[in-house]
Amino acid sequence: MKTIKIISVVLRGLPNTLTLLVASFFLATVLGIFLAWLNLRKNRLARGIARLYLGLVRGTPPLLMLLLAYYGLPVLLKSIGIDIDHWTRMTFGILGLTIGWSAYLSEAFRSAYLSVDPGQLEAARSVGMSDRHSFWQIIVPQTAMIALPNIENLLIGLVKATSLVYVIGLYDMYNQATNLSNQTSGVYQLKIFIILALIYWVIVLLIEWGFRLIRGHYAKMMA
């Protein structure tokens, strides 16, 4: 089988892979920030809710999280009168990955925030800056810069985790490669999966390049 044929078949799943990656990472980031905010509050109930969520999610394998989202959530919601059987596999895939990665991103944001010297807020107040202005102009940029390496690693991990959606029958690149291998009775299996690995590697290289640009931009801003 020609290499170009393998690439063309595998790339049929690229739109789904990228949709999963972008949507779940965006939603996980939003949810992660909210969870970090809850975890940093002085309110015990808020902290308790955040820590319970983080403990449960981080202790559950991503593959199991996808299965729970796809098979368990419809049953759970149906018991209280909510029917989500019409949701697409893509929706469940995004939901499962979002839940899984939100916990890891939350800890990345929280640890980065705690690494910033709180004395800088006092210094900003002493020169007449408001707390809100100081937070957005001083604390947030430093928190983002500190969190960037962890965010990059988590995004790369999410790239690889998108392949897990095969368990719910969603046709991403991995599923396309597996089907192609089965159609050829495994004769070209090694070649197919090497090409698949190289495509994932290219995606990871693009992510690393993007984060280098972001770090360079932040470095110039904070110089």
Side-chain angles (χ1 to χ4, degrees):
M1 182 177 290
K2 292 183 179 180
T3 300
I4 191 67
K5 172 65 175 177
I6 296 173
I7 293 174
S8 65
V9 172
V10 171
L11 288 182
R12 290 175 192 169
L14 181 61
N16 279 347
T17 295
L18 294 180
T19 300
L20 282 166
L21 179 64
V22 173
S24 58
F25 183 73
F26 172 76
L27 294 173
T29 298
V30 173
L31 183 54
I33 291 172
F34 175 70
L35 289 167
W37 175 73
L38 281 182
N39 208 0
L40 289 166
R41 294 191 67 187
K42 295 180 180 180
N43 185 293
R44 288 186 178 181
L45 178 60
R47 287 204 314 271
I49 292 171
R51 290 175 182 176
L52 177 62
Y53 178 95
L54 295 175
L56 288 172
V57 172
R58 289 193 297 168
T60 305
L63 183 62
L64 180 56
M65 188 62 69
L66 281 167
L67 290 171
L68 288 172
Y70 186 67
Y71 294 107
L73 190 60
V75 175
L76 178 64
L77 293 182
K78 194 171 289 185
S79 67
I80 57 174
I82 301 175
D83 185 9
I84 60 171
D85 288 339
H86 60 282
W87 284 14
T88 63
R89 287 184 173 90
M90 176 64 74
T91 302
F92 284 109
I94 291 171
L95 179 62
L97 293 173
T98 295
I99 293 172
W101 256 251
S102 63
Y104 300 117
L105 284 164
S106 173
E107 286 299 279
F109 297 137
R110 187 182 70 87
S111 61
Y113 177 81
L114 293 175
S115 298
V116 179
D117 183 6
Q120 294 182 66
L121 284 176
E122 295 296 330
R125 290 192 192 104
S126 69
V127 295
M129 291 180 68
S130 66
D131 286 350
R132 184 175 181 179
H133 187 69
S134 302
F135 177 78
W136 287 106
Q137 295 296 318
I138 298 174
I139 303 300
V140 170
Q142 293 184 67
T143 299
M145 189 65 179
I146 295 169
L148 271 180
N150 284 332
I151 294 172
E152 180 181 356
N153 288 333
L154 289 169
L155 180 56
I156 290 172
L158 185 57
V159 171
K160 294 176 284 187
T162 57
S163 64
L164 297 174
V165 297
Y166 76 90
V167 298
I168 61 173
L170 186 58
Y171 283 89
D172 68 325
M173 291 195 300
Y174 177 81
N175 213 329
Q176 291 287 354
T178 301
N179 286 344
L180 183 60
S181 176
N182 293 336
Q183 290 167 16
T184 59
S185 301
V187 175
Y188 298 98
Q189 187 177 61
L190 180 60
K191 184 177 182 180
I192 290 169
F193 285 109
I194 287 175
I195 291 172
L196 176 64
L198 291 174
I199 294 173
Y200 278 117
W201 181 49
V202 169
I203 295 173
V204 169
L205 288 177
L206 290 173
I207 290 172
E208 291 176 343
W209 173 74
F211 273 86
R212 279 198 298 272
L213 292 180
I214 294 172
R215 284 195 295 269
H217 177 69
Y218 264 107
K220 289 179 181 178
M221 286 180 58
M222 301 180 70

